[in-house]
Amino acid sequence: MFVRTASARDLPAIRALLVATWHDTYDAIYGPDRVTAITEEWHSLPALEARIGAPNSEFLVADDGERIGGMAFASVADGGATVLLHQLYVLPQLQGRGIGGLLLDEIEGCFPEAGRVRLEVEEKNLKAVAFYRAQGFAEVGRTANCGGGESGIPALVYERPIVWAD
């Protein structure tokens, strides 16, 4: 897999990846109907299209030339000091192969002025919690509304410093 900037032509494959990953991960937690409703809102083609070229953000895909195996979307806050990782997903059948780490490293590299990465993760998503902990993230808080707005989805807030090599 190689990591590159997402383009509009990637959006149908990204949407399919997000729908598959969300159902695989969250059906047992929220039920298939709620997951479908969330993916229809958060992962619709217009919602994804709005991220392409959004200011102060980066939208990446992991691509092997035949399929998109992962995606990540992040923006900066605090005057560029904090990278907000909004999304990082890898197809269920490709998880555990280092794709998430590649995407995370590349996202950090897109924001050279940043000193930390912050994200929200559903506490019951044990695979994601384990992944982020293995990547050096630590819990710094909680939110009742993962993803912003009034989602009603509780989540842990994790952070890790970005350590730049000299």
Side-chain angles (χ1 to χ4, degrees):
M1 291 275 171
F2 61 96
V3 177
R4 62 175 174 78
T5 300
S7 71
R9 74 178 190 284
D10 297 318
L11 296 180
I14 293 168
R15 174 170 162 63
L17 176 149
L18 289 166
V19 169
T21 303
W22 266 69
H23 279 289
D24 183 73
T25 303
Y26 295 111
D27 278 3
I29 298 170
Y30 298 120
D33 291 341
R34 183 159 185 217
V35 171
T36 296
I38 290 169
T39 59
E40 288 299 313
E41 180 182 350
W42 291 3
H43 307 135
S44 67
L45 289 176
L48 295 172
E49 188 172 358
R51 294 186 176 127
I52 298 279
N56 303 311
S57 69
E58 190 62 50
F59 193 167
L60 303 176
V61 293
D63 185 344
D64 68 3
E66 295 180 17
R67 66 179 164 183
I68 291 176
M71 62 79 61
F73 176 73
S75 64
V76 290
D78 305 329
T82 304
V83 175
L84 301 176
L85 182 63
H86 302 285
Q87 296 176 297
L88 192 154
Y89 293 98
V90 175
L91 282 172
Q93 65 270 29
L94 298 178
Q95 292 174 4
R97 297 184 187 183
I99 298 167
L102 286 173
L103 286 162
L104 186 57
D105 289 346
E106 189 69 25
I107 281 287
E108 286 182 355
C110 292
F111 303 101
E113 302 302 316
R116 69 180 163 266
V117 180
R118 181 181 304 141
L119 60 93
E120 298 172 352
V121 61
E122 160 53 81
E123 187 172 14
K124 294 177 187 172
N125 184 349
L126 300 179
K127 284 196 283 187
V129 168
F131 168 77
Y132 290 119
R133 286 184 178 161
Q135 296 292 321
F137 284 85
E139 183 180 338
V140 296
R142 294 175 176 262
T143 180
N145 294 298
C146 185
E150 296 297 320
S151 70
I153 298 173
L156 304 171
V157 179
Y158 275 25
E159 278 187 7
R160 85 167 184 196
I162 298 174
V163 180
W164 299 105
D166 292 333

